[in-house]
């Protein structure tokens, strides 16, 4: 299954009753495994989480750490890009050359590298 198809399938499960804005995300790891996530909103709005955050949690929970490719999808005219917080979360496991494809349900897409989306990602001296 393509990464876009995986992200589209995850998007179908989004819990977005407050914004009405469903997002799907899919991550491929260096070993080829695919993990997906969708946004999960909450009646207490700030407690909601992004699709990328869900996909990262699924990956880490399964013992994987190395992101090789990312795809996110929403039903918009133009592709959406990951929010600032998710850029930092992705950068924890994705190097600057990792491609991030931002797609629409209708088939448009743009691909940028992680380092373009988040130059100078924050890392501590203890970063792994
Ligand atoms: N959202 C994501 O899931 N990923 C992003 O990169 C941007 C925003 C979600 C959060 C919220 O549930 C909805 O989209 C509207 O902001």
């Amino acid at each position: 299954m393509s990464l876009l198809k995986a992200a589209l399938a995850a998007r179908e499960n989004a819990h977005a009753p407050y914004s009405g804005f469903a997002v799907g995300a899919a991550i491929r790891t260096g070993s080829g495994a695919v993990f997906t996530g969708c946004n999960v909103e909450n009646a207490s709005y700030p407690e909601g989480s992004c699709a990328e955050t869900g996909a990262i949690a699924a990956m880490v929970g399964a013992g994987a750490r190395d992101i090789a490719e990312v795809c996110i999808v929403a039903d918009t005219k133009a592709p959406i890009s990951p929010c600032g917080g998710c850029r930092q979360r992705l950068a924890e496991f994705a190097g600057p050359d990792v491609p991030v494809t931002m797609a629409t349900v209708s088939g448009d897409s743009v691909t940028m590298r992680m380092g373009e989306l988040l130059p100078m990602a924050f890392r501590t001296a203890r970063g792994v």
Side-chain angles (χ1 to χ4, degrees):
M1 189 189 271
S2 77
L3 212 52
L4 174 59
K5 271 193 178 166
L8 282 165
R11 182 182 167 276
E12 292 298 318
N13 295 326
H15 176 69
Y18 306 104
S19 71
F21 192 78
V23 184
I27 290 169
R28 193 189 311 280
T29 67
S31 67
V34 171
F35 297 96
T36 62
C38 58
N39 52 331
V40 182
E41 297 183 349
N42 192 275
S44 177
Y45 295 177
E47 303 305 328
S49 54
C50 287
E52 299 90 323
T53 299
I56 291 166
M59 177 190 78
V60 174
R65 293 283 187 277
D66 60 324
I67 295 178
E69 196 182 345
V70 181
C71 179
I72 69 169
V73 65
D75 190 10
T76 42
K77 259 191 188 166
I80 62 158
S81 64
C83 77
C86 285
R87 292 179 199 206
Q88 181 67 35
R89 290 185 194 97
L90 288 166
E92 181 75 16
F93 304 105
D97 292 336
V98 166
V100 179
T101 296
M102 299 157 275
T104 68
V105 167
S106 57
D108 286 344
S109 75
V110 55
T111 300
M112 292 177 69
R113 306 245 169 223
M114 195 62 230
E116 295 178 277
L117 288 170
L118 186 62
M120 292 184 71
F122 175 72
R123 294 185 198 287
T124 66
R126 298 175 60 223
V128 287

